[in-house]
Amino acid sequence: MSVTPDASRQPATAARDSGVEQASRFEAVIGLEVHVELNTATKMFCGCAIDFGGAPNVRTCPVCLGQPGSLPMINAKAVESAIRLG
Amino acid sequence: MHPLVAADAVGLQRLLKAREVSATEITQAHLDRIADTDPHVSAFIRTLDQAALDHARDIDRRLSAGQEVGALAGLPLALKDILCTKGVETTCASRVLQHYRPPYDATVVRKLRQADAIVVGKANMDEFAMGSSCENSAFFPTRNPWDLERVPGGSSGGSVAAVAANDAPLGIGTDTGGSVRQPAALCGVIGVKPTYGLVSRFGLIAFASSLDQVGPIARAVPDAALLLEAIAGHDPRDATSIPTDVPDLHTTLEAGVEGLRVGVVSEFMGAGMSDGVRSVVTAAIDRLGALGAEVVDVSLPHAGYGVSAYYLIAPSECSSNLSRYDGVRYGLRVDGETTEQMMASTRDAGFGPEVKRRIMIGTYALSAGYYDAYYAQAQRVRTLIIRDYEAAYAGCDVLASPTSPTTAFKLGERAADPLSMYLSDVYTIPSNLAGAPALSLPVGLDDDGLPVGLQLMAPVLGEPVLFRAARALERELAIDSTPRGNGSLAQVAA
């Protein structure tokens, strides 16, 4: 895609700045979002096992299906691990 | 009326233990009573005749074989249709769940089955427990057995009307802002909202999770105590369940009120109350004094803001809880060209006007920019009300007030004016905000012959003193809880 510069709307300095000079006006801030799979035996909010490879719909319950009336119960081991990870 | 349906739960239990009647006879008498009364009262969305009789026969078989039976053996019970029953439709009186069959039992339902209570039917209610008249049911309104042209109150109107109509000695309701106590007052029976966390909410279809609590309904205080002891207790599947022992209500039940300090809440005795309610409630409080209680005036200065705070907190929680009804996983689905259209059409067809109103209020109150002004402010008011109660209980054992500002109103009378309906719960809402127990006890009739309820309140986990005070007054007043008079059930079903 080509962009035709509109000379009349360019700031006076822009034409003189090189690419390096332009970049130097920005500060690089880099954040890392790290996802870790915790080695718990059960899911985050219910007691269902988290093993892979079983028959369909056997490692489910009213809680992880979000059935009406069900309530999540937080996995204590996951909380403990998260605290240890800081 | 058949003597078995006139009897209270403790009386039926005595007859069953003495083998003078069978559980099957008790159950059949109540199913026959429902067949006579429910065409007039409409307390039940569905009756469970076959399952009830099968359970009763099983209890009789075990009794004959000398085996153990549960603490509520053979006692018929009306269950609000908000508690999940495995394989049996649980609708919340909503089109969105009209054909929903839960794959599991609520903890309360499991405890009731283990205690051998006979669930005779799933009772009508305001849709998703939102309402104070039972007129918000998507299916049909329930009528008050004392006057069939009047509402039973709500939202647990079906369970309460069933107990008042002698369809069952016991009922289970849920109370988020007064939904057990207000209908109990309007139908002349006992309704209890226990301490938040005393009874498990697992399997109770959520309306406002920080306020919802399951409570017993009965025609006698000892019956209500028996039922609460059976359903209370810690549940590891409810993170808000209190890890405490089941309260012992029976040891002190007959201990009387001598030496107890009863605080009359000044803010709940002011304007807005009908003259009939005022005179009956005042007389009942005087009787507590005559029985040896010390009656004093107390103030809950912030309680007047309770309704306003409640109608921000409860709709906020409801807007979140009800977002799951999207037509994808369970319940109603109305097809649309896109997924979004399917969800919008499903929710438009599935929810009634009051539910939609509360979802909109809650969504607005939680939206960015308004959260601090509405939801956070309401939570601050809640804290002030909790402190008001703490200050009041520094000098009192229990508090007293009317349960409802008026007796039962006519069907349709308040349906067009949500605000007047919301004010039905002005005296009951503060206990939900504080998480503290309260009950409604029938204490007399007004000039129109309609029941008046006295509300007694106690500190968190103060159920023993709450039941003790209620029992003392019940014994003293010896109220006849049978609906009677012009327009009542007695004129159409003997």
Side-chain angles (χ1 to χ4, degrees):
Chain A
M1 191 169 69
S2 69
V3 178
T4 310
D6 179 353
S8 67
R9 298 185 64 184
Q10 291 276 323
T13 56
R16 293 197 302 272
D17 283 355
S18 71
V20 173
E21 285 168 331
Q22 280 188 36
S24 70
R25 297 207 303 271
F26 293 95
E27 181 192 357
V29 178
I30 298 165
L32 293 178
E33 184 179 312
V34 180
H35 291 239
V36 176
E37 189 180 326
L38 300 174
N39 61 345
T40 56
T42 56
K43 295 185 189 180
M44 187 66 216
F45 292 110
C46 68
C48 291
I50 52 167
D51 295 333
F52 289 96
N57 295 327
V58 294
R59 285 164 196 154
T60 61
C61 72
V63 176
C64 52
L65 292 175
Q67 290 282 333
S70 67
L71 295 169
M73 195 69 185
I74 201 161
N75 187 325
K77 175 81 177 171
V79 174
E80 187 194 315
S81 301
I83 291 169
R84 281 182 194 280
L85 283 165
Chain B
M1 202 188 299
H2 193 292
L4 287 179
V5 305
D8 58 24
V10 170
L12 288 173
Q13 230 178 11
R14 202 177 303 120
L15 291 173
L16 186 71
K17 271 186 189 145
R19 307 302 307 276
E20 287 177 36
V21 294
S22 67
T24 307
E25 286 170 298
I26 294 171
T27 303
Q28 190 60 57
H30 285 87
L31 293 175
D32 292 346
R33 174 70 180 172
I34 293 170
D36 285 346
T37 58
D38 217 43
H40 307 288
V41 177
S42 307
F44 292 98
I45 292 175
R46 120 183 337 95
T47 55
L48 303 171
D49 302 43
Q50 196 53 52
L53 285 169
D54 288 348
H55 190 177
R57 288 194 195 103
D58 180 56
I59 291 166
D60 287 333
R61 211 164 21 239
R62 278 183 279 151
L63 283 170
S64 298
Q67 293 170 355
E68 288 278 305
V69 292
L72 303 176
L75 299 177
L77 180 141
L79 183 69
K80 190 178 184 180
D81 207 21
I82 197 169
L83 285 150
C84 285
T85 42
K86 187 175 183 176
V88 176
E89 282 96 331
T90 301
T91 69
C92 265
S94 179
R95 300 243 174 258
V96 88
L97 286 177
Q98 189 166 4
H99 304 294
Y100 173 64
R101 288 168 189 248
Y104 73 109
D105 274 334
T107 298
V108 164
V109 172
R110 183 173 53 78
K111 282 178 173 262
L112 289 171
R113 291 195 203 287
Q114 282 170 353
D116 283 321
I118 308 278
V119 178
V120 290
K122 303 291 299 277
N124 199 23
M125 53 185 281
D126 287 297
E127 183 179 7
F128 281 102
M130 298 177 198
S132 306
S133 71
C134 233
E135 293 167 292
N136 293 341
S137 166
F139 308 134
F140 46 79
T142 295
R143 290 160 184 274
N144 191 317
W146 287 82
D147 180 347
L148 299 170
E149 294 304 310
R150 292 178 188 269
V151 303
S155 66
S156 310
S159 304
V160 166
V163 172
N166 296 76
D167 292 340
L170 300 176
I172 288 285
T174 61
D175 190 314
T176 305
S179 280
V180 167
R181 288 162 288 159
Q182 183 258 13
L186 270 47
C187 291
V189 301
I190 293 142
V192 186
K193 186 207 87 76
T195 298
Y196 182 79
L198 187 62
V199 182
S200 169
R201 288 184 301 108
F202 189 81
L204 157 61
I205 298 180
F207 156 23
S209 308
S210 78
L211 302 160
D212 295 341
Q213 187 60 197
V214 180
I217 299 154
R219 295 189 300 267
V221 174
D223 291 6
L226 184 71
L227 180 52
L228 182 55
E229 285 176 340
I231 60 172
H234 181 241
D235 181 7
R237 297 207 281 183
D238 173 0
T240 62
S241 173
I242 304 173
T244 182
D245 292 338
V246 174
D248 172 7
L249 304 174
H250 276 91
T251 303
T252 54
L253 193 61
E254 307 290 346
V257 290
E258 204 165 343
L260 289 187
R261 276 170 77 108
V262 178
V264 181
V265 182
S266 328
E267 286 81 2
F268 294 174
M269 299 299 286
M273 191 194 320
S274 78
D275 293 340
V277 170
R278 183 187 305 278
S279 67
V280 174
V281 163
T282 305
I285 293 169
D286 289 346
R287 297 287 278 274
L288 277 173
L291 287 170
E294 185 187 349
V295 179
V296 297
D297 287 330
V298 297
S299 176
L300 300 174
H302 300 95
Y305 301 108
V307 172
S308 307
Y310 177 87
Y311 276 100
L312 290 166
I313 294 167
S316 294
E317 295 184 13
C318 122
S319 75
S320 171
N321 277 324
L322 271 60
S323 63
R324 74 184 68 206
Y325 305 106
D326 53 14
V328 175
R329 289 154 294 177
Y330 34 70
L332 182 73
R333 173 185 293 188
V334 178
D335 286 331
E337 299 216 339
T338 64
T339 307
E340 287 77 10
Q341 277 175 13
M342 180 278 285
M343 289 178 176
S345 303
T346 297
R347 290 169 70 80
D348 187 35
F351 293 139
E354 182 61 27
V355 174
K356 286 178 185 166
R357 183 178 297 123
R358 296 200 195 187
I359 289 172
M360 283 190 277
I361 293 171
T363 307
Y364 181 82
L366 290 177
S367 57
Y370 296 107
Y371 181 93
D372 279 344
Y374 294 116
Y375 185 75
Q377 190 73 355
Q379 292 287 26
R380 284 182 206 111
V381 171
R382 188 174 189 174
T383 302
L384 292 175
I385 289 173
I386 291 169
R387 288 187 189 145
D388 282 356
Y389 274 108
E390 284 167 1
Y393 288 123
C396 295
D397 298 290
V398 293
L399 303 183
S401 79
T403 305
S404 167
T406 66
T407 51
F409 43 94
K410 293 232 158 111
L411 276 105
E413 191 179 315
R414 297 189 189 175
D417 181 0
L419 194 59
S420 75
M421 191 73 88
Y422 295 173
L423 290 173
S424 304
D425 296 327
V426 62
Y427 306 140
T428 47
I429 279 173
S431 295
N432 298 82
L433 292 172
L439 62 75
S440 182
L441 180 75
V443 289
L445 305 179
D446 74 354
D447 292 339
D448 298 326
L450 295 168
V452 173
L454 174 78
Q455 178 175 232
L456 294 171
M457 297 163 271
V460 164
L461 294 176
E463 274 82 358
V465 72
L466 185 68
F467 276 78
R468 175 183 160 192
R471 175 62 183 148
L473 191 55
E474 175 186 62
R475 225 170 28 207
E476 168 75 6
L477 295 173
I479 295 285
D480 176 3
S481 66
T482 313
R484 54 195 180 275
N486 280 342
S488 74
L489 182 61
Q491 294 186 321
V492 288

